[in-house]
Each structure stands twice: as C-alpha cells, then as structure tokens.
Amino acid sequence: MNVSASNERKSSILESLTSLYINTARPVSSSLIKDEFDLSVSSATIRNILVELEELGYIEQPHTSSGRIPTDKGYRFYIDTLMKKQNIRDEEKNELKLACLSSAHKTQEIIDKTSEILAEISNEAAINFFFNLSDSVLKHIELINLSLMQVLVVLITDSGIVRNYIVNFNESISTGELKRISNFLNENLKNTPLVDIKTKLYTLLNEHNLVYLQLAHEACRIFDALEADELFERDYDIHQDGINNIMNQPEFFNLEYLKDVLDVFESKERLAEILKDSFEPDFNNAKVTIGKENRCKGFQNCSLVTAGYKIKDKTVGMFGLLGPTRMAYSRMLPLVEYMAEMMTETLNDFSRDERDE
Amino acid sequence: MNVSASNERKSSILESLTSLYINTARPVSSSLIKDEFDLSVSSATIRNILVELEELGYIEQPHTSSGRIPTDKGYRFYIDTLMKKQNIRDEEKNELKLACLSSAHKTQEIIDKTSEILAEISNEAAINFFFNLSDSVLKHIELINLSLMQVLVVLITDSGIVRNYIVNFNESISTGELKRISNFLNENLKNTPLVDIKTKLYTLLNEHNLVYLQLAHEACRIFDALEADELFERDYDIHQDGINNIMNQPEFFNLEYLKDVLDVFESKERLAEILKDSFEPDFNNAKVTIGKENRCKGFQNCSLVTAGYKIKDKTVGMFGLLGPTRMAYSRMLPLVEYMAEMMTETLNDFSRDERDE
DNA sequence: ATTAGCACTCTTACCTAAAGAGTGCTAATT
DNA sequence: AATTAGCACTCTTTAGGTAAGAGTGCTAAT
C-alpha cells in the first residue's frame, strides 16, 4: 500500500478513536475500533497504526497496556481536518432563536437567557460575553433628578444597551438646569462613540459661545463623575450558566479540577480574561482552544469553544462553551456558531429599527 | 451531686464537644474533651455523660467506637442556649460597612458587593436577597422613546432601586404624547406602592375629565404592557457568592453533596425559594436553619444563617450564609447580623435623603 | 503487509492482617 | 453514690498481596 493510502487510513483511525473516546470517556483499544467500524483489518494491524499515531504525537496511553486517548494535538487535527460538523436539530435551533427574540432589546436579559439555554442544550458550561459598551454609540441620554445632589444618568446605545449610573454632586442642580444639560448632550453627542464623548465635550467647550460653554462645563461634570465613580471600569456584560452540567462529566470527578474551574467561573473578571484570549477581530467561525492551549492553568483539561457576534460587521461579543477536552466538538461548534448568528441577527434588527425611526 | 449541677456539666460538655467538632471536623472523643478543657474529671466520667447526651438525642456516633458529633438537635441547643456570640473584629466591620457605602444608591451593585465581601470574610457561601420591589413605593417614572413603537420605562423607587423595562407597542407614540403621559403618571402616582399602581390608574380613569381619561388610558397601556411582558414576574434581586469557599470544607469532599448544593446555587429561583422559607416579618436577630430543618433536600447537611434588613421598619431583604451544619455559628451569626444592620442603615439613609428633597 | 498467538504489563477489585482509635463495661476506689 | 482505672471489644484505616481482566507489543507465520 502506498504512503497516501496509508495516511488516509491513519486519519480514519484517528477519527474513529477520537469519536469513540468522546462517546465512551474511556481509553480506546484496538479491538474496539475494529468492532465499531468494520475496517476489514485485524486489531493487530490497527495496533501498528496506533503506534505510528502515537509516535507522531496525536494519541497517548494513560499507562502501558491501556487503550489510547487523543492528545491536544490529536484533538486539534481532528477538529481542523477530520471532523464533520453535525446538523443541529430544528427544534433546538428554534429554542436558541427564541431565547434571543423573547428578550430582544433587553440586553442584560438576553445575555442571561442565551447563556442559560445554550448551557441546557449543549450540556456544557456556557458563557455570553458582551464587551462592546465602550465601542458603542450613544443614542440617547436621559438625566433624572433623584435628589438635590444626585442625578440618575440613563445611557442608551445603538446596540440596545441600557445602563443606569447614579452620579453624586457636591453642589445641587435644579431640574431646569438638568433639562438644559440633557438637551445639550442629546443634540451634540448623539451617535458619538462612548469612548469619544469626553474629547467631543472638550472640543465643544472651545468652540461654542458662553451659554454653551457653561452647559458643556456642567455636562463635563457629569462625565467626570461617571469616570471618577469607576463606572466605565467594567465595560462589559458577562453571564455564565451550566457548571452543574460539567460536574457530571467523569473528568471532573477529580475535585481538584472541578475546584479550579469553579474558581474561574465565580469571577466575572477572570471569565472575561479568558474569553478575551480567544478574541479575533474577524470572527466568523467557531474557534476552539484545546487543553494546554489555554493560558489559564485551571483549564488545562478543558476546551473552550467560542464564536463572536457582531453589530454592523464589528464583533461586539462572544459565546463560549466550556467542557472537558473530550467534548462533542462536531456538535458544539455548530451550536455555538448558530447561537452567535442568532445573536448577530437580533442585535442588527435592533440597530435597523433605530435607523427607521 | 444534684440534678442541676449535673445538667450544668452536661451542657458544658455538649458545648465543648460542639465547638471542638466545629474546629476539628472530626468526631470528638472523651479524652479530647478532657485534654482541651481541664474538667478535673476522667475520660471515663465524660464517657458516661456522653452516653446520657446521646440518649437525649443531642449527639450521635457515626459508628460504634468512634467519637461523637452533634445532631441537628444538639446544634439547635448549642446555638439557642450554650453558645456565646463572638465579637467581630473592627477591621472586618469596616470592610462590611465599606461594601455598603461604596456602592450605596446603586441597588444592583450593592447586592453584588455585599454578598461578595460577606462570602470572603465568612469563608462560607453568601447570599443577598432583596425582595421588596413590589412593596416599594414609586418615586419617579421616566418614559423614553427608543423608536416609533418602543418605549423605555425607567422606574425609580423609594428604596433606590432603578429598573428599566422596554415596552413594545402596536401603534406608534409621539414624543409629545409620551411627555404628557409621563407627567400625568408622576403627578398622580408618586408615592404609590408598585402593587397598587394598576388599581389607582383605574380609579383615576373613573374620576377625571376627558383629557385625563385619555391620558390614563395610555398610561394603562404602558402598565398593561409591563405586566404582559411578565416584567413583574421576578420582583426581587438576588446574588450569591462563595461556593468555592464551601468546596474546601471536608463535608463537601463528597461530590454528591456538592452537586446538590451547586444545583441550588445555579438557580436564582430556587435560592429565593429557600431564603423565603426562613423569612419572618419581624426579623431582628439572625435565624439559623439547621440540617434537616431545611425543606430543600440538597441542604440536609447544611445550615443556613439568615438576617433581614429593613426600610422604615419593614423587612425588605435578607442576607444568608450557607455552610455545613458544622459551622462556626458563634462567629457567623454576629457577622450576618452586622451585615444586615449596615444594609438597613445604608438603605434608610437613602430614604432619608428623599424626604429632605 | 497483515495477522494469529502469546507473553507481558498495568489496573482494578477483593481479601486479609495489623495497627490505632475510641468505646462500653466491670470492678475497684473514693 | 459517684468516679475511675483497666481492659476487652468494635470499627476504621492502612498496607500488602493475590487473582482476574483488559490491552498491548512482539514474534513468527501467512
């Protein structure tokens, strides 16, 4: 048999072994491969091939005389080259879509709902990480007097995010004054990216006449207060669900692993860190980070499947699915991709609503 | 020796045993009690007393010829009668207080922060459950046009809660119209409990002249939409932190227990259920629910320490601390009580600000 | 190049024995 | 009558040792 044919068979056996291991969670023996896929070769032949695959670093034995499991490199090759993506069932698609639609335009809620439903359907831990806040564009700002020296600032952005900030002042502000500031801000800052607001305000300060000057000054006071209050510090929303799912996976019967993962899931900051690691500006297909490819040391036995969603072609958030490296990639990748697609659709429908206005 | 003296000694030994078990997490032997507390009696005498305590149901042996551990009944007696509450260290008090102050007037944030810091200091799992929303009083309502058929409703209550709801309409509403509705609502509904708003609106419908009639109709449309949207469905905020803390406790090395607890902690609904169970209208001191006293079957080896906080003498939320039944009650109770006290203070300061306005 | 056959390795489960902790009981002591 | 020393007994824990089972790697035959 020539080399190319031999390579083909090697691949086929690696694929079989990987999918068997994913399904059974136990090291795969040569005879199991023979039994499950009628390869018209003996187990001894398969064993010879397994030795080659092991030498190439795609598989390994937990101990001599046990079956074999894929290495990170093996999974990588399986995902990139061998695996066929499964189709998602229509009813599952509907559920995922519904999670977006039912809470469309309520950003905080959509983030919770989508990660919840994704966790349920995938049976892994799911994360939704929406990080566009500072990139998004101001649509409307509303100032509401709470008390003499307190103002509630409601920011509405083009992506439908609504945020409240309470700003405390040292001097009192009258309702009329507030009204004028708010009109001024809406007139001048509409469609300005949040990050640019301060700069634009200072430009306005230099450009306009005295009345405006005073207004802009007061407006600056508000945005200064927002910053001082560290309110732009965390400019993302993140939600996670389904750790209880991965607890049932045999790899997490080891309490140490479980503890490591739970530690990360308890902290929104660390979760955000990790998701950021797999960010890519152009994020069309799902991306997988396998085992030791993860920088985070608690995730060395886990894989993270991520897919980004966009507003007007700009990635503004990501879904993540975390499970053991032995994960049903052929199902998880399309799942996350579809979820991200739906999220993109929903968000862009909202943006379109804006423009129609 | 007479009966009363003997009872005193029994109590003293139960106390010693309980606190030893809380500290060491291992069944307590007669000789350990003798060694740790110089009782000027022999271990044999202590053993005789232990038998009596066992017959009374306060302690039990995991197996014959092991040391003894308190039963739920034993813990109950320890907490209600024997235990002396520890003083909280000043620096800890400061930390707890700071968590309230630093995010005062930002209800969602204060709930997150306080449960976080409480978990850290207690080294158990902490919960903050704020359930007053439907009881609280409308302070201000703001309507903001998002698009032709969408309105953002911002509700501000006397307890400083800010909530956003997006309401979708079938017909379009002009900005002017919206302004009028919002003025009408603020004039007529200020200081109305949220639960009574609908009734009050309908009363207004019958009372006023034609102009008002139309306005009230439109206002009703908004609140109808809010209800249809199931937005009053969950009228509480709840936040949990520190499950990783209890993972380090030896009783949770058993994965089954851990799983049961995690399952509950994953669901805000179930957490709320459980906290509700220990609600009391007049909630001054911390309350403990021990082991099987918990209705929730996953918590049969856990204790829940709760304390309520108030606005104007009405309980509006609770702190909870969850850990193994073998919990440092003498420290945890004062901790939760102090945290609740601080929360009460902070919330009432805010209410006072209102009235000054 | 493939395969049957088999010796070898490693894991797992199960058993046994020994050590250790702690009790309950009895009989002696205060 | 209460206390206690002493000791047999029970149960857990640890270690070691053996047998069964799974799966491999190698060799020699096809």
Side-chain angles (χ1 to χ4, degrees), chain A residues 102 104-109 112 139-148 150 152 154 156 160 162-166 168 179 229 231 234 239-245 247-248 252-255 258-259 262-263 266 268 350 353-354 356-357, chain B residues 102 104-109 112 139-148 150 152 154 156 160 162-166 168 179 229 231 234 239-245 247-248 252-255 258-259 262-263 266 268 350 353-354 356-357:
Chain A
S102 73
H105 307 182
K106 288 170 248 171
T107 321
Q108 287 87 344
E109 213 179 310
D112 291 10
K139 197 188 136 201
H140 185 89
I141 186 168
E142 192 76 30
L143 305 178
I144 304 171
N145 245 326
L146 283 186
S147 65
L148 281 176
Q150 281 195 328
L152 175 71
V154 182
I156 302 162
V162 176
R163 297 228 178 203
N164 307 316
Y165 302 119
I166 294 179
N168 297 301
K179 185 77 211 152
D229 229 359
L231 282 161
R234 200 184 94 192
H239 195 258
Q240 137 278 320
D241 204 331
I243 359 166
N244 51 347
N245 288 341
M247 284 187 66
N248 294 317
F252 294 100
F253 286 4
N254 181 325
L255 255 175
L258 187 61
K259 230 180 261 181
L262 274 178
D263 263 0
E266 278 251 304
K268 287 183 195 293
F350 184 63
D353 285 358
E354 305 315 298
D356 298 346
E357 201 183 339
Chain B
S102 72
H105 307 185
K106 288 171 246 169
T107 320
Q108 286 86 345
E109 212 179 309
D112 291 11
K139 198 188 135 200
H140 186 89
I141 186 168
E142 191 78 30
L143 305 178
I144 304 171
N145 245 327
L146 284 185
S147 66
L148 280 177
Q150 281 196 328
L152 176 71
V154 182
I156 301 161
V162 177
R163 296 228 179 204
N164 306 317
Y165 302 120
I166 293 177
N168 297 300
K179 185 79 209 150
D229 229 359
L231 281 162
R234 201 184 93 189
H239 195 258
Q240 138 281 317
D241 204 331
I243 359 168
N244 51 348
N245 288 342
M247 284 187 67
N248 295 317
F252 294 99
F253 287 3
N254 180 326
L255 254 177
L258 187 60
K259 231 181 257 180
L262 275 178
D263 263 0
E266 276 252 304
K268 286 183 197 293
F350 184 61
D353 284 0
E354 305 314 299
D356 297 347
E357 201 183 337

Side-chain angles (χ1 to χ4, degrees), chain B residues 84-106:
Chain B
K84 279 151 213 63
K85 288 184 185 174
Q86 276 178 38
N87 291 324
I88 314 163
R89 294 213 319 272
D90 280 347
E91 53 200 277
E92 289 174 337
K93 281 191 178 181
N94 284 340
E95 272 195 76
L96 295 178
K97 195 166 188 172
L98 200 67
C100 287
L101 293 180
S102 72
S103 43
H105 307 185
K106 288 171 246 169

Side-chain angles (χ1 to χ4, degrees), chain A residues 52 65 75 111 118 142 145 160 183 220 257 331 335 342:
Chain A
E52 292 180 58
S65 86
Y75 282 121
I111 289 167
L118 189 58
E142 192 76 30
N145 245 326
N183 285 340
C220 279
Y257 292 163
R331 181 171 143 77
L335 215 53
M342 287 306 103

Side-chain angles (χ1 to χ4, degrees), chain B residues 139-278:
Chain B
K139 198 188 135 200
H140 186 89
I141 186 168
E142 191 78 30
L143 305 178
I144 304 171
N145 245 327
L146 284 185
S147 66
L148 280 177
M149 296 178 5
Q150 281 196 328
V151 173
L152 176 71
V153 182
V154 182
L155 293 182
I156 301 161
T157 72
D158 59 340
S159 48
I161 298 176
V162 177
R163 296 228 179 204
N164 306 317
Y165 302 120
I166 293 177
V167 175
N168 297 300
F169 287 96
N170 298 321
E171 320 154 37
S172 65
I173 292 197
S174 75
T175 311
E177 212 170 358
L178 211 58
K179 185 79 209 150
R180 275 168 42 241
I181 300 176
S182 120
N183 285 340
F184 171 79
L185 287 172
N186 276 309
E187 274 165 35
N188 290 286
L189 298 179
K190 199 167 175 174
N191 297 325
T192 309
L194 292 191
V195 276
D196 299 336
I197 283 186
K198 277 293 284 282
T199 328
K200 193 148 179 189
L201 271 178
Y202 282 109
T203 315
L204 286 170
L205 271 181
N206 295 328
E207 277 176 8
H208 285 80
N209 62 35
L210 203 72
V211 187
Y212 265 65
L213 197 71
Q214 198 203 331
L215 271 172
H217 256 306
E218 289 174 37
C220 279
R221 235 169 59 180
I222 288 185
F223 278 86
D224 281 340
L226 282 184
E227 284 195 352
D229 229 359
E230 294 171 48
L231 281 162
F232 284 113
E233 189 187 64
R234 201 184 93 189
D235 65 342
Y236 57 84
D237 265 317
I238 194 163
H239 195 258
Q240 138 281 317
D241 204 331
I243 359 168
N244 51 348
N245 288 342
I246 64 173
M247 284 187 67
N248 295 317
Q249 316 268 13
E251 16 278 284
F252 294 99
F253 287 3
N254 180 326
L255 254 177
E256 283 310 308
Y257 292 162
L258 187 60
K259 231 181 257 180
D260 287 343
V261 173
L262 275 178
D263 263 0
V264 176
F265 268 72
E266 276 252 304
S267 150
K268 286 183 197 293
E269 289 76 22
R270 293 185 61 194
L271 263 188
E273 278 292 318
I274 282 155
L275 279 251
K276 259 182 222 154
D277 275 352
S278 59

Side-chain angles (χ1 to χ4, degrees), chain A residues 32-45:
Chain A
L32 184 65
I33 296 178
K34 181 178 150 55
D35 291 350
E36 291 295 311
F37 305 85
D38 194 19
L39 293 174
S40 66
V41 285
S42 75
S43 65
T45 309

Side-chain angles (χ1 to χ4, degrees), chain A residues 291-311:
Chain A
K292 300 220 187 335
E293 292 173 6
N294 278 297
R295 266 199 313 149
C296 168
K297 88 165 188 46
F299 282 14
Q300 308 273 303
N301 297 297
C302 298
S303 283
L304 181 68
V305 181
T306 49
Y309 49 83
K310 304 179 177 186
I311 294 179

